[in-house]
Amino acid sequence: MTEAQIKLVCQQCMERCAMGNTWPPDLAEFVSLVSESGANPFGLTSDRVMEEYRRWRNESYRYSGSDKYPWAQPVLYHVCIEMRRTGVERQMTEGELKKLAEKLLTKWTKHVGNGLSVPPIRRQLAAPQHPAGPTPAQLLMEEYKRRKAAGLIN
């Protein structure tokens, strides 16, 4: 952590104490404060992730795909894509999206902390192309009509 991040965490602890929360904060609260300060390999806070998510959501129509959008960091691509998918599926509120951003940022921090890297931004594979021509159901229907016309089926 940088000196500025340590000062920010200490300031947040004092503000929490002034609001009537317990002192010292328990481990979970402290870890949450540290992650909010941007003490991760990416230097991102959940607020910064939310800003990028809103900007991408509002400006993505200008690009042919999310892979063409000018992401500040590759990890933001992965976080924002998952936030949109989960947010739409679960119909999440702004507060829930912020908690999800914190959770995903923590997930990617652990991922990088374990020695793994952030995958590059890539376009998803295209859907497979179906061969031209009639489908099996259409072939069966043609056979049925042929037999019916020949009087083989009542």
Side-chain angles (χ1 to χ4, degrees), residues 96-112:
E96 292 170 331
L97 279 173
K98 183 169 181 171
K99 287 179 186 175
L100 179 62
E102 291 172 7
K103 180 181 166 188
L104 292 172
L105 195 54
T106 302
K107 174 187 130 185
W108 281 101
T109 300
K110 286 180 184 177
H111 185 80
V112 169

Side-chain angles (χ1 to χ4, degrees), residues 62-127:
R62 297 178 181 173
Y63 303 92
S64 61
S66 295
D67 58 322
K68 304 293 186 226
Y69 182 79
W71 296 99
Q73 295 185 25
V75 74
L76 287 171
Y77 167 79
H78 300 288
V79 169
C80 290
I81 294 290
E82 192 166 343
M83 282 178 65
R84 178 179 271 182
R85 182 188 54 77
T86 306
V88 169
E89 283 177 1
R90 297 182 184 171
Q91 299 177 354
M92 297 177 115
T93 63
E94 191 76 15
E96 292 170 331
L97 279 173
K98 183 169 181 171
K99 287 179 186 175
L100 179 62
E102 291 172 7
K103 180 181 166 188
L104 292 172
L105 195 54
T106 302
K107 174 187 130 185
W108 281 101
T109 300
K110 286 180 184 177
H111 185 80
V112 169
N114 289 335
L116 302 170
S117 62
V118 177
I121 298 170
R122 290 192 185 123
R123 183 142 185 95
Q124 289 184 339
L125 296 176

